[in-house]
Amino acid sequence: MLWREGLWSGNPALVKLLGLCPLLAVSNNVVNGFGLGLATLLTLLIANTTVSLMRPVVLPAIRIPIYVLIIASTVTIIELLMQAWLPALHASLGIFLPLIVTNCLIIGRSEAFASRHDLRSSLHDALSMGTGFLWVLVLLGGLRELLGQGTLFSQAHLLFGDGARQLALQLFSADNGLLIALLPPGAFFALGLLLAGKNLIDARSRRRQHADERSVTTDVEAATPLRS
């Protein structure tokens, strides 16, 4: 249930619309989306774990400052590690990496879930919500990169090293791309397409479910003998 909620029915990006600022700002290619998504997932895992373990000793009056301190410390460590080991990707993500601290998804799951559940459930929640946010970032980045410059994984070397340059795919010339897809307005258009696609899939699923329920009801009524 937690996985279904995080990945689809309660997806933080497509349903709850949390973390839209970094989601729209850095998702101009697959690698940026993947890098920020991984950093967010790791932050969520550490925050949920720590909050769940500390819930018996944290006073309710100071819980929010404690959660913010935990999240800020985690993001600072992740940023320093990325700056040391992945400097090019760190520079590409820019200010939006430290801004993970202000992501409503992190503080929201800490307060609404991790502070009220055991460690195992909190880990599952962090993994499902973080993975849900990650796949939307990657899909949005891939869509914008493909439409904007005709490539996929064009900057894979920023995350995986120089050996990953061969992963880059050039599907068509950048001269034939839609420049707006790489600009801020393109992020809104691409997100709108993803939201429309999800709503369409959900609507079809509901119609199919209702049709199956009506079919079952009809079969039951037909099998029930009439009483005089």
Side-chain angles (χ1 to χ4, degrees):
M1 183 63 181
L2 283 176
W3 281 99
R4 177 176 175 80
E5 180 182 0
L7 295 177
W8 189 259
S9 62
N11 187 281
L14 296 181
V15 177
K16 300 179 180 180
L17 300 179
L18 299 176
L20 289 186
C21 180
L23 180 75
L24 297 173
V26 304
S27 61
N28 56 352
N29 61 64
V30 173
V31 173
N32 280 356
F34 191 66
L36 185 65
L38 282 180
T40 304
L41 173 59
L42 183 58
T43 302
L44 191 56
L45 274 172
I46 296 175
N48 267 24
T49 300
T50 308
V51 169
S52 180
L53 291 174
M54 294 181 61
R55 60 193 175 94
V57 298
V58 174
L59 298 176
I62 60 171
R63 68 186 189 285
I64 299 300
I66 293 296
Y67 299 163
V68 173
L69 180 61
I70 293 170
I71 296 169
S73 301
T74 302
V75 172
T76 300
I77 293 172
I78 292 174
E79 184 184 8
L80 291 174
L81 290 174
M82 188 173 289
Q83 188 173 9
W85 295 97
L86 301 169
L89 181 60
H90 176 271
S92 181
L93 296 178
I95 189 62
F96 296 101
L97 185 60
L99 280 180
I100 293 176
V101 176
T102 64
N103 193 327
C104 296
L105 169 63
I106 312 295
I107 188 67
R109 300 318 295 175
S110 297
E111 167 65 14
F113 196 94
S115 63
R116 305 175 186 181
H117 294 81
D118 58 19
L119 177 59
R120 182 177 179 179
S121 298
S122 298
L123 284 173
H124 284 170
D125 178 75
L127 283 171
S128 64
M129 290 293 171
T131 305
F133 191 73
L134 170 64
W135 80 257
V136 174
L137 266 170
V138 172
L139 185 59
L140 190 63
L143 180 62
R144 295 179 63 193
E145 181 182 355
L146 178 62
L147 294 177
Q149 58 189 37
T151 63
L152 286 174
F153 308 105
S154 62
Q155 298 185 23
H157 62 283
L158 299 184
L159 183 60
F160 302 108
D162 288 337
R165 292 182 183 273
Q166 59 184 356
L167 296 176
L169 301 175
Q170 184 74 47
L171 302 179
F172 58 84
S173 173
D175 295 335
N176 299 322
L178 297 174
L179 178 59
I180 192 173
L182 301 176
L183 300 177
F188 286 95
F189 293 142
L191 181 61
L193 290 175
L194 293 184
L195 289 172
K198 183 186 183 303
N199 291 338
L200 180 61
I201 293 173
D202 287 341
R204 289 183 175 178
S205 178
R206 286 192 296 268
R207 286 197 297 268
R208 189 180 302 112
Q209 183 179 359
H210 292 162
D212 292 342
E213 291 175 354
R214 287 195 299 269
S215 177
V216 170
T217 302
T218 302
D219 292 342
V220 171
E221 291 176 349
T224 303
L226 295 176
R227 295 182 181 180
S228 56

